[in-house]
């Protein structure tokens, strides 16, 4: 282990300990801690592996999130005991029975889903099929799906509704997403693609059990493929994935917009800059379905906020999504399959020109030299758009085929094949597993699928309804925006991708969902009434 690795371990250990202390004292600020942690998680692990830190120590750091969740569980037990044990639980249950029927339905659905997951993880291997998933596969799947009801109930119990808690949530979540965007811009425009190999990304992927076949052995989703065999770079930032960047941005944009549009006395001056950076990160991820969802999200925000400034911001978001498809491919970094630069990052070229050094990363021996023309890659925008519109894009065809296979497999196995059956890591996958939605059905059967659809659908619908009526300067309104607008924007991705594998998305959405339900149950009907103050009716803003 290098000296840098040892120092990093000490610093990380101190940070985890500090986070545990903060969560014990104030569990309601868990969201910003997890948001910052997941923004750094993959990059930190890659650095530790590159610094030759022992595997056991890397695994210990990797488990920081489970450690903090254990602290929260202990805090919950302590709080129940200190509040009178059985009397406290009985009081909470009585309050829950007096809550609106829809709130009780959401809680009951989440509880039934959690119980179903526990039953499936305890089922002996092979009960639901001859070749049942292995223990590692079952635990991976249980961790991903078990977080859904677990985080939901964490949000129910510790909603960040107090003003001081909400300020920390806003600063942590929106600030972390903006910093991810800044670092992503730097890595995209100033770092040659081959540098990722030098940083140890391939060793990191192997450590997680993944082996990719993209250019130079990098993950395929680092790039957008083209007809001519060239690969367009996409922003991956500290998430080490354009999908993590895009999906997290879809959830954070409604929060950033709400903060930016608050009344002048409550508005944060940095919110517009943060919103701009987060939109840029979504655009430069070149995740086409997420870009389309971003356009729909912008239109919905313009409708809900009903303010001129909101309309201007929403139009700017739409323009950004269009530029990501129509302009960026003609200017962004492009590589050949051996990672030799066909179009070097513009920032790296500028720095090299200022230093008087050759631009771009050196091509390996025997590889063809890049063309000296100003735009050697050609019109990649037209190529990418044509492939998408014609339906010849392999990624789009693969998603459609996976959806068909997932639906057919779920109908063929109404009881599912067991947790982990659609997980390709550490074993053979039985189900297709491409869709986060149908993976629930593939592994836990039609009952699990219906419970998940009911929980996600009701949360999104309620979020939209509440967002339309609530004044935006309240924390509960911002929670509704995230669950309603963010949940609706995320729905097509839940249908087509393994979105819950991105823990930044899972932790943020489901914790906020639980917190939003608590805010709704606190006063379920008053916020649907027209808000009137002395002097006349007020606007939503």
């Amino acid at each position: 282990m290098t000296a840098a690795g040892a120092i990093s371990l000490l610093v990380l250990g101190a940070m985890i300990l500090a986070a545990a202390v903060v969560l014990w004292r104030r569990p309601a600020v868990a969201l910003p801690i997890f948001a910052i942690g997941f923004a750094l998680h993959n990059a930190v692990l890659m650095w530790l592996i590159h610094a030759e830190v022992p595997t056991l120590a890397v695994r210990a750091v990797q488990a920081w999130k489970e450690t903090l969740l254990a602290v929260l569980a202990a805090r919950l037990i302590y709080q129940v005991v200190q509040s009178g044990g059985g009397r406290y639980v009985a009081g909470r249950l009585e309050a829950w029975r007096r809550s609106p029927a829809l709130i009780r339905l959401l809680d009951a659905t989440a509880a039934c889903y959690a119980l179903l997951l526990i039953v499936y993880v305890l089922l002996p291997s092979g009960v639901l099929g001859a070749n049942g998933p292995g223990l590692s596969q079952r635990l991976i799947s249980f961790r991903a799906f078990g977080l859904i009801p677990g985080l939901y109930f964490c949000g129910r119990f510790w909603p960040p509704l107090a003003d001081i808690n909400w300020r920390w949530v806003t600063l942590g979540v929106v600030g972390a997403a903006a910093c991810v965007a800044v670092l992503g811009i730097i890595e995209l425009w100033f770092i040659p693609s081959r540098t990722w190999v030098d940083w140890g990304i391939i060793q990191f992927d192997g450590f997680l059990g993944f082996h990719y076949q993209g250019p130079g052995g990098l993950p395929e989703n680092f790039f957008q493929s083209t007809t001519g065999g060239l690969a367009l770079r996409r922003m991956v930032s500290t998430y080490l994935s354009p999908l993590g960047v895009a999906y997290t941005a879809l959830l954070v944009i409604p929060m950033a917009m709400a903060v930016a549009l608050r009344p002048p006395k409550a508005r944060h001056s940095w919110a517009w800059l943060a919103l701009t950076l987060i939109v840029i990160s979504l655009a430069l991820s070149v995740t086409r379905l997420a870009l389309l969802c971003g356009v729909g999200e912008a239109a919905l925000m313009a409708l809900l906020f009903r303010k001129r400034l909101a309309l201007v911001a929403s139009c700017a978001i739409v323009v950004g999504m269009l530029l990501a498809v129509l302009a960026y491919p003609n200017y962004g970094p492009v590589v050949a399959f051996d990672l030799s630069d066909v179009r070097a990052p513009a920032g790296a070229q500028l720095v090299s020109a200022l230093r008087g050094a050759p631009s771009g990363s050196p091509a390996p021996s025997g590889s063809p030299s890049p063309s000296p023309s100003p735009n050697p890659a050609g019109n990649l925008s037209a190529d990418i758009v044509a492939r998408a519109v014609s339906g010849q894009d392999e990624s789009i065809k693969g998603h459609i085929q996976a959806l068909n296979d997932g639906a057919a497999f779920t109908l063929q196995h109404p009881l599912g094949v067991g947790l982990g059956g659609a997980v390709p890591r550490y074993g053979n996958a039985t189900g297709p597993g491409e869709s986060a939605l149908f993976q629930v059905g593939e592994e836990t059967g039609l009952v699990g699928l219906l419970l998940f659809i009911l929980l996600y659908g009701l949360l999104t619908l309620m979020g939209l309804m509440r967002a339309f009526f609530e004044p935006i300067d309240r924390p509960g309104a911002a929670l509704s925006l995230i669950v309603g607008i963010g949940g609706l924007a995320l729905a097509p991705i839940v249908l087509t991708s393994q979105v819950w594998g991105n823990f930044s998305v899972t932790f943020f959405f489901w914790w906020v969902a639980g917190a939003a339900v608590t805010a709704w149950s606190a006063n379920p009907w008053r916020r649907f009434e027209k808000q009137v103050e002395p002097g006349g009716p007020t606007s939503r803003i």
Side-chain angles (χ1 to χ4, degrees), residues 179-200:
C179 290
V180 166
V182 171
L183 295 174
I185 291 170
I186 294 173
E187 64 89 7
L188 184 64
W189 293 103
F190 291 88
I191 306 299
S193 301
R194 185 169 295 279
T195 305
W196 282 107
V197 178
D198 301 333
W199 285 346

